[in-house]
Amino acid sequence: MSSDATGTLTGAEERKEKVPSPHLSHLVILTSGSSLYGLAERVVATESLVFLAEQFEFLQPHLDAVMPPAKKPFLQQFYSQTVSTASELRKPIYWIVAAKAIDYEQMLLLMANVKWDVKEIMSQHNIYVDSLLKEFEQFNGKLNEVSRRVRIPLPVSNILWEHCIRLANRTLVEGYANVKKCSNEGRALMQLDFQQFLMKLEKLTDIRPIPDKEFVETYIKAYYLTENDMERWIKEHREYSTKQLNNLVSVCLGSHINKKARQKLLAAIDDTDRPKR
């Protein structure tokens, strides 16, 4: 047998030992909103992996007992780096469903049309709240439809709701940070809108506390801070982006602080590490 033939055989044998590249069946559609972007298939795949990881956890004492001492570090590495992380895959896999299931961009557009420099306290919330709640109701309905095909475990349902609510609350803050003019009454209207959203949302989900609720409330209430309190608040609240804080200083505090004080606060924002959104 020639060396070329030997080399060919070796290559063929090597290919046999490799795990074939994964491919998605053409029957699985991940782009359709009606199926919540392949949620049923995502659940089957992800929860099967989580189940396998749980079985490996049960097997660990047995595998540890039969493994040669020299190989035990590899087994420990497999458990610490692979098996223990299986359940963590739920968050990124289901995040894409939550990101697409609610039309967050539409909410920003609706918020941009709201007049926030009103002169009197409003008793009626804005329509963007109703639009957002309708999106959540439709999401809940689609979730129930998918669960008729494939059982959705409670941890999965909770992760989906948590992702959706977090994204919605962060979109609300972004919408408030886009405001060009705002009065005290306008800030009160933001509080009214958010309380209406929370009240109706709590009827749709059992998740408590509502994720990122404080993220929105703290931002709205910051409008009422004095100049000195605001400087300290900026340094303490690193979770808000530079743009969001600049809006608080320029639009919200702008009317009742002088130019020098405003520049001082804007400099404090630039000096602090935070998301550059």
Side-chain angles (χ1 to χ4, degrees):
M1 188 180 287
S2 69
S3 59
D4 285 349
T6 307
T8 305
L9 280 174
T10 306
E13 286 167 359
E14 281 179 358
R15 281 196 297 276
K16 278 183 183 177
E17 288 180 4
K18 288 181 180 176
V19 177
S21 298
H23 69 278
L24 190 65
S25 167
H26 67 279
L27 298 174
V28 178
I29 309 297
L30 299 180
T31 54
S32 171
S34 60
S35 66
L36 279 181
Y37 307 94
L39 179 59
E41 291 80 4
R42 290 176 195 270
V43 167
V44 170
T46 311
E47 300 314 303
S48 296
L49 186 64
V50 171
F51 174 78
L52 280 175
E54 289 169 352
Q55 303 319 299
F56 269 111
E57 295 285 2
F58 290 131
L59 285 170
Q60 188 172 12
H62 174 71
L63 292 174
D64 199 52
V66 299
M67 188 69 67
K71 297 284 186 182
K72 284 192 178 183
F74 296 105
L75 183 68
Q76 289 167 353
Q77 187 181 40
F78 171 67
Y79 272 91
S80 65
Q81 294 184 8
T82 304
V83 175
S84 66
T85 60
S87 62
E88 293 175 21
L89 286 172
R90 281 172 169 156
K91 286 196 172 182
I93 289 171
Y94 298 129
W95 184 90
I96 193 67
V97 175
K100 289 175 173 285
I102 307 290
D103 192 346
Y104 306 101
E105 289 299 318
Q106 174 65 14
M107 186 168 75
L108 280 177
L109 291 173
L110 290 173
M111 292 177 79
N113 292 325
V114 176
K115 183 179 170 63
W116 297 106
D117 56 342
V118 290
K119 300 301 181 191
E120 57 186 57
I121 298 289
M122 310 296 281
S123 59
Q124 180 62 37
H125 62 272
N126 283 297
I127 58 166
Y128 74 86
V129 177
D130 296 324
S131 176
L132 179 57
L133 287 166
K134 188 177 179 182
E135 293 266 333
F136 271 101
E137 285 167 5
Q138 290 172 345
F139 167 70
N140 194 35
K142 289 175 184 176
L143 208 55
N144 290 332
E145 285 175 25
V146 173
S147 67
R148 293 192 191 105
R149 288 179 56 209
V150 172
R151 189 181 74 84
I152 300 177
L154 186 59
V156 176
S157 176
N158 286 345
I159 283 172
L160 283 165
W161 274 102
E162 184 180 333
H163 278 328
C164 284
I165 295 168
R166 282 191 192 283
L167 286 166
N169 280 340
R170 289 181 176 272
T171 305
L172 283 172
V173 169
E174 191 63 15
Y176 297 145
N178 288 334
V179 173
K180 298 292 186 285
K181 291 181 181 179
C182 187
S183 61
N184 283 345
E185 292 80 4
R187 216 49 161 187
L189 180 55
M190 289 178 184
Q191 289 179 308
L192 172 70
D193 287 349
F194 188 55
Q195 289 310 311
Q196 177 72 12
F197 171 60
L198 289 178
M199 186 177 70
K200 294 288 180 67
L201 183 65
E202 286 174 348
K203 294 176 182 177
L204 289 173
T205 177
D206 294 328
I207 290 183
R208 300 292 186 275
I210 295 295
D212 277 348
K213 174 186 169 189
E214 291 78 13
F215 184 75
V216 184
E217 290 178 334
T218 304
Y219 188 79
I220 295 173
K221 290 173 183 174
Y223 178 81
Y224 303 107
L225 294 173
T226 62
E227 176 193 332
N228 291 336
D229 288 338
M230 177 59 86
E231 187 172 5
R232 185 172 66 250
W233 190 93
I234 286 168
K235 290 172 182 174
E236 290 173 353
H237 290 275
R238 295 169 180 262
E239 67 270 30
Y240 298 103
S241 70
T242 300
K243 173 198 164 182
Q244 290 164 353
L245 291 175
N246 282 341
N247 178 273
L248 274 180
V249 172
S250 301
V251 176
C252 302
L253 286 181
S255 58
H256 43 268
I257 60 172
N258 61 40
K259 185 179 179 181
K260 186 179 178 182
R262 185 161 64 249
Q263 287 175 337
K264 182 184 176 185
L265 290 173
L266 292 174
I269 294 169
D270 290 337
D271 289 343
T272 310
D273 290 332
R274 61 183 73 257
K276 299 290 184 186
R277 288 201 301 275

